[in-house]
Amino acid sequence: MSEARKETVLIVHGGGPTAVMNASLYGAVMEARQNKSVGRILAAKNGTGGLLREEFIDLTDVPEDRLRLLVKTPGSAIGTSRDQLEAPEYEAMVRILEKHQIGGVLMNGGNGTMDTCGKLHKTCRALQKDILVMGIPKTMDNDLAITDHSPGYGSAARYIAQSTRELAADIKGLPIHVVVLEVSGRNAGWVAAASALAADGNAPGPDLIYLPERTFDEERFIQDVSRLLKVKKGILVVASEGLKDKEGKPIVEPLFQVGRSTYFGDVGTHLANVVIRRLGYKARGEKPGLLGRCSVQLRSKVDLEEAELSGTLACRALLQGKTGKMVGFRRVSTQPYKVVPLLIDIDEVMMHEKKLPDAYINAEGNGVTQQFTDWARPLIGEGLGEMISFN
């Protein structure tokens, strides 16, 4: 970026928030403040829609003690959105950026946001505008391509692992039903898979895990549950919200769908009802929903640190003149856990959905492998704590 004049940096949030999204915002703002070439630090109010409406939040002079609260706050402190954008809107955004003398844009989000990031970058280049655009990864679903993992996932994984452990202990204490825990995961089962970490240290965990990477077969599901009911009376099933049948259709019709935004039907209740109807056995569905992405009490310290680092490094790269990239992580080792940050061409990320590899899913398609749990364990931070049972 030019040092001849003070630059204005704009930060934009997109998609569903996470427990650590604001930590990335904090990292980016603090990095910008330390650079003498930056004059103003703005945020788009409620995502790209706010940018198009020219609604900006000025973060330039927010006291640092107030700004530090971002690392303790879930959600998005500047607001986010799921706006559906077309070519004219990207051109309009470029005109607005020029009007407000904004020389760099940091876009923090998941697949849809990285697609927007890439399209804005390409529009700036096509119009020959000297506006830099950089992506900050964020998704609890962990489905961004190339990077080993994304900020937001570690905390969601920890929440699900801990919640699964507690639910499993409850079921073990009163083993009278099949409980289906429905978790987030439209097309990728990373969050559901993390429930397997509940069983660390001989603690109770899920009996069955169903992922969207495998076709859901109701007959096979009933066989799995029936087999387990012969040896135990309390069963915990974890199911991704995006389970699909052999025809590729959701097993429960979505309640609402616009573009990539889908409000899935209640998969947990549906599968519980299948057990009741087919096996005549008591069953119930549970669903943490948005709690799985906004808990700061159960978030991962590793995730928090990496989220802040992502914002810092993205802003630093932008101020060094880089554009059309997204910050990512390459894993060097798992034990001990070590990653190194890298910059990924945005073209490699745009709408490329990363799913669980076959090596992470068991042969039966109803659980995960040791290879997955070894990979995921460092991301949730410290251990989940011990439990005891005399039963």
Side-chain angles (χ1 to χ4, degrees):
M1 299 182 78
S2 172
E3 295 192 14
R5 62 181 174 86
K6 293 288 186 179
E7 297 285 357
T8 297
V9 173
L10 176 69
I11 303 169
V12 185
H13 279 178
T18 73
V20 298
M21 190 177 200
N22 287 325
S24 293
L25 175 62
Y26 175 78
V29 173
M30 293 304 296
E31 181 67 21
R33 285 187 173 188
Q34 294 171 23
N35 193 297
K36 294 180 180 180
S37 71
V38 177
R40 298 176 72 205
I41 306 167
L42 302 179
K45 186 177 181 179
N46 297 321
T48 51
L51 169 53
L52 288 166
R53 293 186 297 271
E54 301 182 56
E55 295 178 353
F56 301 117
I57 301 168
D58 196 329
L59 301 175
T60 311
D61 297 317
V62 176
E64 187 171 342
D65 62 334
R66 297 289 296 167
L67 202 64
R68 184 65 189 170
L69 292 174
L70 287 171
V71 301
K72 301 178 181 179
T73 306
S76 168
I78 59 176
T80 182
S81 65
R82 295 189 190 276
D83 301 310
Q84 304 295 314
L85 304 174
E86 301 295 339
E89 279 121 351
Y90 287 101
E91 294 172 4
M93 282 194 282
V94 173
R95 290 194 296 270
I96 292 168
L97 294 171
E98 269 202 311
K99 175 183 174 180
H100 292 273
Q101 297 184 327
I102 295 170
V105 181
L106 293 164
M107 306 204 73
N108 188 189
N111 275 307
T113 304
M114 289 307 111
D115 186 59
T116 299
C117 180
K119 288 176 178 175
L120 180 59
H121 161 67
K122 291 177 180 180
T123 303
C124 290
R125 292 186 64 181
L127 297 177
Q128 299 183 327
K129 304 299 181 182
D130 187 24
I131 299 172
L132 309 180
V133 186
M134 186 69 60
I136 305 172
K138 174 278 318 172
T139 171
M140 68 171 286
D141 293 326
N142 198 46
D143 55 358
L144 280 169
I146 311 301
T147 183
D148 177 76
H149 59 280
S150 299
Y153 173 68
S155 294
R158 183 177 181 84
Y159 180 93
I160 290 300
Q162 180 66 40
S163 298
T164 301
R165 174 179 282 203
E166 293 169 358
L167 183 56
D170 185 279
I171 294 167
K172 185 176 182 180
L174 182 61
I176 61 171
H177 48 203
V178 174
V179 178
V180 183
L181 177 63
E182 176 187 340
V183 302
S184 299
R186 180 176 48 234
N187 296 313
W190 296 97
V191 178
S195 66
L197 297 173
D200 275 2
N202 296 318
D207 297 292
L208 299 165
I209 305 173
Y210 295 98
L211 311 163
E213 285 84 358
R214 293 290 184 268
T215 297
F216 183 80
D217 185 327
E218 184 176 304
E219 292 301 324
R220 182 64 181 272
F221 167 66
I222 288 298
Q223 290 172 14
D224 288 344
V225 173
S226 296
R227 171 178 49 81
L228 285 169
L229 284 175
K230 293 177 181 178
V231 295
K232 59 191 304 187
K233 299 305 179 184
I235 296 171
L236 176 54
V237 177
V238 174
S240 289
E241 63 182 354
L243 294 179
K244 299 176 180 63
D245 61 22
K246 62 182 179 182
E247 296 177 353
K249 297 179 180 180
I251 64 170
V252 180
E253 184 178 355
L255 300 174
F256 181 74
Q257 190 166 12
V258 176
R260 294 183 67 251
S261 298
T262 302
Y263 289 77
F264 288 95
D266 198 332
V267 170
T269 298
H270 169 74
L271 293 180
N273 289 338
V274 168
V275 170
I276 295 169
R277 186 178 66 251
R278 297 283 303 274
L279 298 179
Y281 198 79
K282 184 177 180 179
R284 62 184 294 159
E286 301 288 347
K287 184 176 181 178
L290 298 184
L291 295 172
R293 76 184 191 196
C294 66
S295 171
V296 292
Q297 294 301 317
L298 285 177
R299 70 181 170 184
S300 160
K301 291 181 180 179
V302 171
D303 194 29
L304 183 65
E305 292 170 359
E306 292 181 348
E308 184 177 335
L309 180 62
S310 295
T312 299
L313 296 180
C315 186
R316 185 176 301 169
L318 187 86
L319 297 174
Q320 290 172 347
K322 297 181 174 62
T323 187
K325 308 284 186 181
M326 182 193 82
V327 172
F329 295 98
R330 177 174 64 83
R331 189 172 299 212
V332 176
S333 67
T334 294
Q335 294 180 338
Y337 174 66
K338 183 180 180 181
V339 294
V340 293
L342 68 157
L343 292 179
I344 303 167
D345 286 340
I346 198 67
D347 281 343
E348 298 183 62
V349 183
M350 296 170 66
M351 299 307 290
H352 293 298
E353 200 167 40
K354 181 179 72 175
K355 299 183 179 182
L356 275 170
D358 288 343
Y360 285 1
I361 305 173
N362 69 6
E364 295 78 17
N366 59 12
V368 298
T369 62
Q370 184 71 40
Q371 189 173 344
F372 168 79
T373 54
D374 288 344
W375 172 87
R377 190 171 290 109
L379 305 181
I380 69 170
E382 60 186 355
L384 297 178
E386 294 183 76
M387 289 186 175
I388 191 170
S389 173
F390 300 110
N391 184 9

